[in-house]
Amino acid sequence: MDSEFSERSWQSAEGLTLYFRDYGEANERPPVLCLHGLTRNSRDFEGVAPYIASKGWRVIVPDMRGRGKSDYAEDSATYAVPNYIGDVLGLLQQEKIERFVSVGTSMGGLMTMLIAQGMPQLIAGALLNDIGPVVDPSGIDKIRTYLGQGRSFPTWMHAARALEEVHGAAHPSFDTEDWIAMAKRGMTLCNNGRIAFDYDMKIAEPFNAADENAVPPDLWPGFEALATKPLLLVRGGLSNLLPEEAFAEMQRRAPAADAVTVPDAGHAPTLDEPEVRSAIDSLLASIR
């Protein structure tokens, strides 16, 4: 499988230089946009992006502001989903993309639902990975325990072990090599020789400042806009973020959607699982 990509950039409205990986060639098909989770970056899709590109699709994988090779924002308050969506719209405009297939993990799935609610014509189809209109508060609390801690490690093995300590319950079948691979996707080697998480620690500020008692936006209208399109729903069977009852309700409201549960994964499946790859093939085959 050809995993080559070009490294490209675009500008945010306020002049941040934002990075994206560009796999495959533009063609008559709508491109696939892979949108990562809160603390992740474009490397999170380094397995599935070349897989999709090998099927003849152009795949665009951005680093959201404050992650990976994208600029960090001066104002941490701009680390918010509406700003990320604005950044993505700027990328679409630069690349003259009128429709795309969204592959959204966690936060990327929230972005997908909100785009579908406001601009449904942009979405040709979607994959929501371990996210839906209802989020379990215990999963949010778990994120708060590790978000923005600023830890660093002397070796990749130390980094992998630290990840396993925090996320072991979500990936009980991972071996050491899997944890090292996850570390290399989410962390980076710094100038001082230490290994650290590859995001601006200030993304924790607006996340933690959010009123825990505030009523979250109603995401069901956005989900229902997706339900009229080719749609794949993926849930980790051990997920602490997407409740099983919510996943069942999503399937009830989107009866034509394909749904896959990855039994031995929590938040979130990697999308490299065989059953997910097979479902991705079916999703892409239904895109018109």
Side-chain angles (χ1 to χ4, degrees):
M1 190 192 307
D2 185 1
S3 60
E4 290 187 3
F5 54 88
S6 55
E7 298 191 285
R8 303 185 54 209
S9 66
W10 85 104
Q11 300 290 309
S12 74
E14 71 270 51
L16 298 175
T17 298
L18 305 176
Y19 167 93
F20 68 99
R21 291 181 169 192
D22 196 351
Y23 297 80
E25 300 293 332
N27 54 52
E28 73 283 357
R29 292 170 163 175
V32 176
L33 253 69
C34 296
L35 303 174
H36 62 70
L38 181 67
T39 65
R40 309 307 285 266
N41 59 69
S42 56
R43 296 192 300 280
D44 216 35
F45 298 98
E46 66 187 10
V48 73
Y51 175 80
I52 295 172
S54 74
K55 306 284 184 177
W57 297 78
R58 181 187 181 192
V59 185
I60 295 172
V61 194
D63 284 346
M64 293 299 131
R65 60 173 65 203
R67 284 85 166 172
K69 295 184 178 181
S70 285
D71 283 351
Y72 288 12
E74 289 189 17
D75 179 4
S76 66
T78 69
Y79 291 136
V81 167
N83 298 84
Y84 305 142
I85 290 174
D87 292 343
V88 167
L89 295 178
L91 172 58
L92 297 177
Q93 184 175 13
Q94 172 182 295
E95 296 300 305
K96 298 181 171 56
I97 294 168
E98 296 181 356
R99 293 170 74 236
F100 67 94
V101 180
S102 185
V103 174
T105 293
S106 196
M107 182 185 80
L110 298 177
M111 294 168 60
T112 303
M113 286 184 279
L114 287 167
I115 292 170
Q117 183 170 344
M119 293 158 282
Q121 72 281 3
L122 290 178
I123 307 282
L127 185 167
L128 297 181
N129 183 19
D130 211 59
I131 194 69
V134 177
V135 175
D136 190 327
S138 69
I140 299 295
D141 291 343
K142 168 80 172 179
I143 293 169
R144 286 196 169 103
T145 65
Y146 62 78
L147 181 65
Q149 297 297 310
R151 298 175 66 194
S152 67
F153 311 96
T155 69
W156 286 111
M157 183 61 78
H158 286 86
R161 286 176 178 156
L163 279 183
E164 185 175 8
E165 284 174 19
V166 175
H167 301 290
H171 300 285
S173 61
F174 271 23
D175 61 20
T176 300
E177 292 303 312
D178 293 322
W179 289 112
I180 291 173
M182 180 180 270
K184 289 185 174 181
R185 286 179 174 187
M187 302 188 200
T188 188
L189 183 62
C190 302
N191 292 337
N192 63 2
R194 302 277 293 181
I195 293 160
F197 290 94
D198 201 6
Y199 66 87
D200 184 355
M201 293 300 124
K202 291 182 179 177
I203 69 173
E205 293 174 8
F207 189 86
N208 290 331
D211 182 357
E212 294 180 35
N213 299 312
V215 177
D218 182 4
L219 293 171
W220 283 112
F223 178 80
E224 287 167 354
L226 290 176
T228 65
K229 304 171 185 291
L231 180 60
L232 170 57
L233 308 174
V234 177
R235 179 179 182 269
L238 307 175
S239 178
N240 64 353
L241 202 71
L242 176 57
E244 201 168 352
E245 306 74 37
F247 194 57
E249 178 65 11
M250 290 161 68
Q251 293 171 68
R252 192 185 71 78
R253 296 201 194 193
D258 198 2
V260 175
T261 297
V262 182
D264 63 344
H267 187 74
T270 63
L271 306 182
D272 300 329
E273 301 87 359
E275 63 269 43
V276 176
R277 289 289 175 87
S278 176
I280 288 173
D281 290 345
S282 298
L283 173 70
L284 295 176
S286 65
I287 302 292
R288 296 290 177 261

